[in-house]
């Protein structure tokens, strides 16, 4: 057994995967013989090693999405979601009721300010119901975005000590928002009944706006989480961004307030259609046009794809710069 | 000798700047390095070329090569800042190497700290599942080992108490008990004996020896010379990021203590 003194150049010039060329790497024989050797090893010792060959090397070239690896870690994703929800309401008096209290309080304030005082048009629906139907998808987005943007910075100790696909953290934070939504959804139906609005078959459309919100929040969350790891400026940008984004989305006002010729352009913000569709699903009014929905779906997808790409590309240096 | 657990070739790690030096590099330098470095990486010029040009930064590890046999327990010795932890962090895939490569065969699990993944607000029971999952165990695996983990930790009575109410010894024992049940072929251990009292250390050592007898490969970083002697027939000595010695543990320890006298 000797110290191998091949220099750094040997490592650099070696090709990506010489696993199956027994001539170039005779110490790592082809997959077949690894299996047989391990069968032998198993008969000698109680512990059975698995023949999984892995290579770690400097990153270069385009980042890989690694979707397969993400799927393998679905269970860990579940644990992260569970942890985030568990921890969020620890040592609070109202506990998970906060998921209801927050939209309720916001609804009351908005109803007074925008409904009573400003008398904004609400498509003929009582303002509290109209506003809450916009607030729920918005809060799903805003909390998902804020939490996932801070997910890497808030888990440095974890990132520093153990490997798992880093994307799980921002994704888990968005998913945890869905659980909050499930808790606050009954409030919406209580308010609907109280306002005398009966939802119809439109309710079946509900998954579409929710999917739009989740995709948008994940895409934007990946961008911000990765950027936040390098530039802590994001911490200051984030509250502004969320606030501006809210006024750029028809939450306190109706989608129909946007001039017809502008609707498709404004729908580049996917939440415009998401909130519109959500309202249409529960209230039966204010459906955004088909063009707007298509534009939104495209821009949400673009955001998710570019976000994943940026995340993957910067992931390599997260831990050294965070 | 056709089958290795770990093969490490020309491994190097450069940090762009030391935390303390961060502010001394001008914004222009940093931007310049960011932009040109990224551009070169995108255009596919070799990393060596890029590195030569941006020679700033600090090599925590350079040109380290060695092999580890399956079932071997290899000690890693070195002073603070010699690159031990960087080496283990690369092997654990926490950080990426700048040069060189590593090939590993089998499941690599790292214990770079006792208590990874623990959340102090959660109960002991919840933490067993959480940290187990984070360290790479399946839920079914954790469930199957749960009683054993609890028995090893000796905190049965406090399983449903938040970990923040535990004494540090209790938390350590529970964390180690979880980690000891990691299904791994190659186990990376970084200074885990440095925490905890003598009894804890003895318990750890026994458990590690048990894992070793099961034929697992172990990379063991420690300053504890006694433990290294007991556990590892061979050891590596790192000095200033370079491999200074690889051989029988006794000689490695001699080399290590000689350099500490010189330092």
């Amino acid at each position: 057994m000797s110290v191998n003194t091949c220099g750094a150049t040997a490592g650099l010039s070696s090709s990506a995967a010489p696993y199956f060329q027994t001539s170039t790497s005779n110490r790592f024989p082809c997959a077949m013989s690894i299996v047989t050797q391990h069968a032998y090893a198993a008969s000698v010792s109680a512990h059975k090693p698995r023949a999984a060959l892995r290579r770690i090397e400097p990153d270069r070239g385009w980042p890989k999405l690694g979707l397969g690896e993400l799927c393998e870690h679905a269970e860990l994703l579940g644990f992260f979601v569970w942890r985030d929800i568990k921890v969020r309401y620890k040592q609070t008096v109202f506990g998970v009721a906060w998921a209801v209290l927050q939209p309720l309080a916001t609804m009351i304030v908005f109803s007074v300010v925008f409904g009573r005082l400003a008398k904004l048009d609400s498509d003929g629906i009582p303002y509290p119901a109209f506003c809450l139907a916009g607030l729920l998808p918005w809060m799903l987005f805003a909390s998902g975005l804020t939490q996932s943007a801070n997910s890497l910075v808030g888990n440095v100790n974890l990132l520093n000590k153990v490997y798992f696909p880093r994307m799980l953290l921002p994704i888990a934070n968005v998913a945890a928002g869905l659980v909050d939504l499930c808790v606050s959804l009954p409030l919406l139906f209580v308010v609907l009944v109280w306002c005398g609005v009966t939802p119809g078959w439109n309710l079946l459309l509900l998954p579409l706006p929710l999917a739009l919100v989740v995709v948008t929040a994940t895409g934007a969350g990946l961008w911000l989480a990765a950027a936040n790891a390098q530039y802590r400026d994001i911490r200051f940008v984030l509250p502004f961004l969320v606030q501006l984004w809210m006024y750029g989305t028809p939450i306190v006002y109706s989608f129909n307030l946007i001039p017809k010729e502008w609707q498709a352009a404004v729908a580049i913000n996917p939440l415009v259609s998401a909130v519109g569709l959500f309202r249409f699903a529960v209230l039966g009014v204010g459906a955004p046009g088909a063009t707007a929905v298509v534009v939104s779906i495209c821009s949400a997808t673009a955001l998710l794809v570019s976000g994943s790409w940026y995340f993957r590309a910067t992931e390599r240096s997260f831990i050294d710069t965070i | 000798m056709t089958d290795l657990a770990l093969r490490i070739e020309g491994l190097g790690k450069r940090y762009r700047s030391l935390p303390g030096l961060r502010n001394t590099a001008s914004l222009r330098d940093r931007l310049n390095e960011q932009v040109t470095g990224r551009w070169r990486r995108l255009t596919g010029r070799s990393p060596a070329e890029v590195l030569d040009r941006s020679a700033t930064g600090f090599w925590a590890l350079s040109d380290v090569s060695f092999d580890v046999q399956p079932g071997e327990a290899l000690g890693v010795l070195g002073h603070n800042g010699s690159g031990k932890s960087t080496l283990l962090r690369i092997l654990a895939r926490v950080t990426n190497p700048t040069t060189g490569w590593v090939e590993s065969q089998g499941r690599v699990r790292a214990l770079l700290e006792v208590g990874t993944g623990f959340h102090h607000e959660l109960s002991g029971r919840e933490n067993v599942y959480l940290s187990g999952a984070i360290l790479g165990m399946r839920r079914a695996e954790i469930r199957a080992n749960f009683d054993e983990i609890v028995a090893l930790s000796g905190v049965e009575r406090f399983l449903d108490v938040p970990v923040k109410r535990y004494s540090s010894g209790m938390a350590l024992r529970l964390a180690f008990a979880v980690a000891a049940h990691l299904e791994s072929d190659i186990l990376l251990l970084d200074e885990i004996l440095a925490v905890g009292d003598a009894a804890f250390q003895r318990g750890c050592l026994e458990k590690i020896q048990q894992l070793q007898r099961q034929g697992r490969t172990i990379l063991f970083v420690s300053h504890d010379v006694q433990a290294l002697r007991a556990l590892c027939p061979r050891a590596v000595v790192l000095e200033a990021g370079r491999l200074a010695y690889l051989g029988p543990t006794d000689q490695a320890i001699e080399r290590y203590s000689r350099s500490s006298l010189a330092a």
Side-chain angles (χ1 to χ4, degrees), chain B residues 73-86:
Chain B
L74 183 73
V76 181
L77 269 166
H79 300 289
N80 291 340
S82 61
K84 306 183 301 287
S85 293
T86 303

Side-chain angles (χ1 to χ4, degrees), chain A residues 179-190:
Chain A
V179 178
D180 275 352
L181 180 80
C182 292
V183 175
S184 55
L185 218 45
L187 170 72
L188 177 65
F189 290 104
V190 170

Side-chain angles (χ1 to χ4, degrees), chain B:
Chain B
M1 205 191 74
T2 50
D3 197 6
L4 293 171
L6 274 176
R7 187 176 176 197
I8 299 168
E9 283 285 358
L11 205 63
K13 174 71 186 179
R14 186 190 62 135
Y15 285 102
R16 280 178 186 280
S17 52
L18 284 166
L21 293 177
R22 227 164 181 223
N23 299 327
T24 60
S26 78
L27 185 67
R28 201 188 56 119
D29 287 346
R30 267 155 65 191
L31 269 179
N32 187 37
E33 198 194 312
Q34 282 277 322
V35 173
T36 54
R38 204 152 285 188
W39 174 248
R40 285 196 194 104
R41 258 173 283 149
L42 281 177
T43 51
R45 290 225 241 144
S46 78
E49 212 177 323
V50 175
L51 291 178
D52 283 346
R53 287 173 188 232
S54 51
T56 58
F58 162 76
W59 287 88
L61 202 64
S62 52
D63 198 13
V64 169
S65 309
F66 62 90
D67 298 334
V68 184
Q69 303 291 323
E72 180 180 8
L74 183 73
V76 181
L77 269 166
H79 300 289
N80 291 340
S82 61
K84 306 183 301 287
S85 293
T86 303
L87 174 65
L88 252 62
R89 278 156 56 89
I90 293 173
L91 296 179
R93 297 173 71 200
V94 162
T95 187
N96 273 316
T98 313
T99 62
W101 49 267
V102 179
E103 273 177 350
S104 59
Q105 195 171 282
R107 280 216 267 180
V108 180
R109 292 287 182 262
L111 195 57
L112 302 189
E113 158 197 70
V114 180
T116 304
F118 262 56
H119 198 291
H120 64 279
E121 293 279 1
L122 299 175
S123 73
R125 182 188 308 277
E126 290 165 336
N127 267 308
V128 168
Y129 278 92
L130 181 64
S131 74
I134 288 173
L135 289 173
M137 288 161 94
R138 301 248 153 222
R139 193 199 307 262
E141 252 174 75
I142 306 171
R143 196 174 298 138
N145 287 313
F146 190 82
D147 292 337
E148 260 182 70
I149 292 174
V150 173
L152 182 65
S153 71
V155 298
E156 293 94 336
R157 283 170 49 218
F158 307 100
L159 264 187
D160 295 302
V161 175
V163 164
K164 63 178 173 183
R165 309 259 179 258
Y166 280 29
S167 73
S168 53
M170 280 158 66
L172 271 180
R173 284 205 305 277
L174 185 61
F176 181 77
V178 176
H181 287 83
L182 271 178
E183 265 305 314
S184 64
D185 304 314
I186 302 166
L187 193 59
L188 313 171
L189 301 171
D190 191 4
E191 296 278 13
I192 54 161
L193 295 181
V195 291
D197 57 11
F200 173 79
Q201 292 180 2
R202 211 164 37 241
C204 285
L205 212 56
E206 265 167 35
K207 191 70 202 172
I208 296 168
Q209 279 169 328
Q210 192 186 326
L211 294 173
Q212 192 188 1
R213 279 194 297 274
Q214 289 169 359
R216 289 173 220 253
T217 311
I218 295 173
L219 230 67
F220 184 70
V221 170
S222 182
H223 288 296
D224 186 340
V225 174
Q226 297 299 329
L228 273 167
R229 257 198 204 106
L231 209 60
C232 313
R234 284 202 317 158
V236 158
V237 182
L238 292 177
E239 275 167 20
R242 291 178 174 276
L243 193 140
Y245 181 79
L246 169 62
T249 303
D250 283 329
Q251 272 96 307
I253 291 172
E254 203 176 302
R255 163 95 200 211
Y256 167 69
S257 23
R258 225 177 331 146
S259 65
S260 38
L261 286 179

Side-chain angles (χ1 to χ4, degrees), chain A residues 222-238:
Chain A
L222 287 172
W223 268 105
L224 292 180
N228 202 5
Q230 300 178 67
Y231 314 103
R232 250 8 97 72
D233 311 54
I234 300 299
R235 257 196 312 201
F236 300 101
V237 174
L238 195 60

